[in-house]
Amino acid sequence: MGKLSISLLLCVFLAACGEVWNAPYGAGDEGREILYTAFTDRPKHLDPAQSYTEDENTFIAQIYEPPLQYHYLRRPYELIPATVEQLPHPRYFAADGRALPDDAPAEAIAESVYELKLRPGIRYQPHPAFALDAAGQPVYLGPGAAEGRQRIADFPQFGTRELVADDYIYQIKRLAHPRLHSPIFGMMAERIVGLRELGDALREAAKTQPADAWFDLDAYPLSGVERVDAQTWRIRIRGKYPQFAYWLAMPFFAPVPREVDRFFAQPGMQEKNLSLDWWPVGTGPYMLTENDPNRRMVLSRNPNFRSEPYPCDGEPGDAEAGLLADCGKPMPFIEQAVFTREKEAIPYWNKFLQGYYDASGISSDSFDQAVRVNVGGDVALSDEMRDKGISLLTAVRSSTFYMGFNMQDAVVGGLDEKAAKLRQAVSIAIDQEEFISIFQNGRGIAAQGPIPPGIFGYEDGEAGINRVVYDWVDGRAVRKSPEVARRLMAEAGYPNGRNARTGEPLVLYLDTTGGGMGDKSRLDWLNRQFAKIDVQLVVRSTDFNRFQDKLRKGNFQLFYLGWNADYPDPENFLFLLHGPEGRLQGGANSANYENPVYDRLFLRMKDMENTPERLHIVRQMTDILRHDAPWVFGLHPKSYTLTHRWLKNRKPNDVGNNTLKYQRIDAADRAAARQAWNAPASWPLWTGLLLLVLISLPAILAYRRRERAVVRPS
């Protein structure tokens, strides 16, 4: 009994020593520059021809390298070379092939030619698709290549090779592959010469091929893309389209080697998720080394990545914020990024406070713990956050959220003045400022039009207000009163919310999905907004697929949607209301808005450089939209990100997604903070130890009495 008690005491004592008990990571990783973060939604596509969502770009933008990228620090956003030697300067040609000057009018330009030249020495990450035998033939090409393998790491031999122009050409062809369903094929087929014809040829070929057959795209010509030499290629674009340079910074135009495509197309690969959609292959600073999207994904530094210097300039305030301290140092800094799937906000938040995640957003549940909002609306960190050395990064996102009207609907649609006044009244009645305060914790600004801050054409202050909805009073925009909205309702033919001719109450229908505006509290709030103008709102909630089907068929009156910038240009927002882009025609104009004057101005504006003339046209278009009110302009959200003091070089960036290489971790500082913040409370152990002693003492004493009785001489 004595030995047993001593053993128990020893176990309790030893348990109080050593590592922090609740540390979720390996004990040997404390001193490594590893970024720890989380993700909520598993990425659906990691193939650059298919991926088009923010959660997917979080990964593939670190792996793939398009020709261009955005300067990490400068604002407004500025394109710079990534893998090419310099930014391409388009050359213009008339329909008869004559070269045109740079200032030629857009209507005279039949084609624009972009020539790109690669920097030498760029190499791919190690991968079995590049492994060659002694004869120079692929090691893993042939029957049974997938047998016994579940992950890329299961292939024992890896290789690499230099990036060449053909890899970029091959990827452009993949946009036309009928079985990949690239979301930008239709748009690019209108622009890149010959891409539509390539798509037609591939669709015909697919009719006679098995579903899993590999297409050697080198066998199919693409007239608008030309290989000049091993490092140089040209792309021919119909007309003048300055925004094409922005597309060259997106993963859609990243390189895909033919041999990688061939490697993954072999029998047995797809069944084991051995595909480009699961295991991307690139030249970027990181490569995907672990892919369990239900639990954890890991990006590790690409050992073949060339050195790239950290930027030495930015915008005012960057130096003071410490964002230039690593000027000229080789990137990437971070050795590995570990993404853990967190489905709930509270565990994510708690782990951030413990130092186990390096950055965090702020959910509504945690908002009051994280920040304080003063009477003037200014936001500051709470004392708890400041004491931990946490920083707050805020930025208005290049996004817009809106309520749309179906402009083809007999009640809310049409361009006549009465219909416009009905929509204007709804726009005034829905108090966006109140919505932002209640449901966004102040994280947003009320939209005055479709263009968000940071995009050419957005104007702040009095010059930028929507005078249909706001008045400018004492230096700020003030929403017009509900009385103004009710007067507009009467002029629209609905005094007191009733049809002036029939006396019937006006009932409007909002289609929505669960979550977002589908939440009960938000819908209750929305009903109260419509009640200000005596309109009855009926909400029809449905699943996402059914909702999209209603939009495609025009079977709705009102809807909520949002849009994130693909690239920093007003065309990327104003096209959402361009008539030929109507959802009924398969476009992105979900409101099915069509105004001939707006459409003519859009065609003039979209291909222009950012000049005063272009700004004048954007203003005209925005004023037309404010009057016609096909949208209730909602809000531009603000991002609030908390970062621990050991995470360096973090700056909000909405359009450049390849941001991991710029960031740095002070691993020693993090390890010390974790140890201090997660030190185990020892008093329960010592209390338990005392209780154990008290419980065991009678038994020990009785045992010793029996022992003495046994050995007592007779």
Side-chain angles (χ1 to χ4, degrees), residues 23-281:
Y25 311 119
D29 291 342
E30 295 91 343
R32 297 172 61 195
E33 282 203 53
I34 299 176
L35 176 77
Y36 293 101
T37 186
F39 66 103
T40 304
D41 299 317
R42 55 175 292 172
K44 184 178 179 182
H45 293 295
L46 297 178
D47 182 333
Q50 298 175 277
S51 175
Y52 204 10
T53 66
E54 190 173 351
D55 56 308
E56 294 164 353
N57 274 335
T58 298
F59 297 98
I60 67 171
Q62 325 311 323
I63 298 167
Y64 286 108
E65 291 189 292
L68 307 181
Q69 61 184 334
Y70 291 94
H71 193 285
Y72 183 56
L73 301 177
R74 292 177 195 156
R75 302 292 184 274
Y77 294 106
E78 181 181 324
L79 285 172
I80 60 173
T83 60
V84 293
E85 291 184 341
Q86 59 186 16
L87 293 178
H89 183 77
R91 292 178 292 135
Y92 301 125
F93 295 89
D96 60 5
R98 285 182 300 107
L100 297 174
D102 289 348
D103 60 355
E107 57 272 18
I109 298 172
E111 285 187 1
S112 305
V113 177
Y114 289 77
E115 182 167 299
L116 301 109
K117 186 174 182 61
L118 288 172
R119 294 173 176 171
I122 300 174
R123 304 189 72 78
Y124 282 98
Q125 68 185 63
H127 196 272
F130 300 123
L132 303 177
D133 60 21
Q137 297 301 309
V139 173
Y140 301 111
L141 191 60
E147 289 180 12
R149 276 101 184 206
Q150 299 294 331
R151 305 168 305 152
I152 294 299
D154 293 336
F155 293 86
Q157 295 186 51
F158 285 65
T160 185
R161 71 159 170 81
E162 188 171 351
L163 174 68
V164 294
D166 283 331
D167 300 331
Y168 285 96
I169 296 172
Y170 194 87
Q171 167 63 4
I172 295 174
K173 290 182 176 182
R174 294 182 78 245
L175 301 178
H177 198 304
R179 292 173 183 168
L180 292 179
H181 307 290
S182 176
I184 69 159
F185 169 69
M187 185 186 304
M188 287 299 112
E190 294 297 320
R191 293 293 181 181
I192 299 176
V193 174
L195 191 62
R196 185 173 300 284
E197 290 75 10
L198 173 61
D200 293 340
L202 291 174
R203 273 193 300 276
E204 283 301 312
K207 293 177 182 178
T208 60
Q209 296 290 333
D212 58 351
W214 177 62
F215 284 80
D216 184 357
L217 297 179
D218 283 347
Y220 296 85
L222 174 54
S223 59
V225 182
E226 174 191 1
R227 178 187 186 274
V228 178
D229 57 42
Q231 303 298 120
T232 313
W233 72 107
R234 293 192 189 112
I235 305 173
R236 290 163 51 210
I237 301 296
R238 292 188 180 90
K240 182 179 181 180
Y241 184 49
Q243 293 83 7
F244 185 66
Y246 295 125
W247 288 99
L248 293 175
M250 298 178 72
F252 294 114
F253 288 87
V256 169
R258 176 184 182 276
E259 58 263 56
V260 168
D261 194 34
R262 181 73 185 95
F263 170 84
F264 282 127
Q266 296 179 90
M269 293 282 189
Q270 290 287 340
E271 293 80 358
K272 298 179 179 183
N273 282 328
L274 293 171
S275 70
L276 206 59
D277 217 19
W278 197 270
W279 294 106
V281 181

Side-chain angles (χ1 to χ4, degrees), residues 401 435 439-440 512-523 560:
F401 289 88
F435 179 88
F439 298 105
Q440 301 286 119
T512 184
T513 59
M517 280 308 299
D519 289 344
K520 184 179 184 305
S521 58
R522 300 187 183 206
L523 293 176
Y560 266 100

Side-chain angles (χ1 to χ4, degrees), residues 19-31:
E19 300 295 330
V20 176
W21 302 348
N22 61 348
Y25 311 119
D29 291 342
E30 295 91 343

Side-chain angles (χ1 to χ4, degrees), residues 697-708:
L697 191 58
I700 294 171
L701 293 174
Y703 176 77
R704 293 185 66 183
R705 281 196 299 271
R706 285 197 302 272
E707 286 289 306
R708 285 196 296 272

Side-chain angles (χ1 to χ4, degrees), residues 574-645:
L574 296 176
F575 94 101
L576 295 170
L577 289 157
H578 183 217
E581 289 286 340
R583 184 62 76 100
L584 294 173
Q585 287 78 47
N589 177 1
S590 296
N592 298 304
Y593 173 67
E594 191 168 0
N595 181 317
V597 179
Y598 177 91
D599 290 343
R600 284 197 297 272
L601 290 170
F602 177 82
L603 293 177
R604 282 181 60 197
M605 178 279 308
K606 69 184 181 67
D607 294 333
M608 296 176 70
E609 307 291 342
N610 288 338
T611 61
E613 182 187 0
R614 192 183 199 211
L615 179 60
H616 176 68
I617 294 174
V618 169
R619 285 172 177 163
Q620 288 181 278
M621 296 173 68
T622 303
D623 285 342
I624 290 171
L625 295 177
R626 288 166 176 164
H627 173 270
D628 289 351
W631 290 358
V632 175
F633 302 115
L635 64 95
H636 307 303
K638 280 184 181 178
S639 65
Y640 280 38
T641 304
L642 298 175
T643 63
H644 282 297
R645 62 179 185 255

Side-chain angles (χ1 to χ4, degrees), residues 102 111 146 200 264 320 324 352 384 388 476 493 505 553 573 585-586 614 618 691 704:
D102 289 348
E111 285 187 1
D200 293 340
F264 282 127
E320 294 78 0
L324 299 181
F352 169 72
E384 179 186 353
K388 284 179 171 282
R476 65 187 186 93
K553 294 177 179 177
F573 287 88
Q585 287 78 47
R614 192 183 199 211
V618 169
L691 289 173
R704 293 185 66 183

Side-chain angles (χ1 to χ4, degrees), residues 366-382:
S366 309
F367 191 82
D368 292 337
Q369 184 183 0
V371 298
R372 299 284 181 265
V373 184
N374 66 23
V375 241
D378 294 328
V379 177
L381 282 169
S382 66

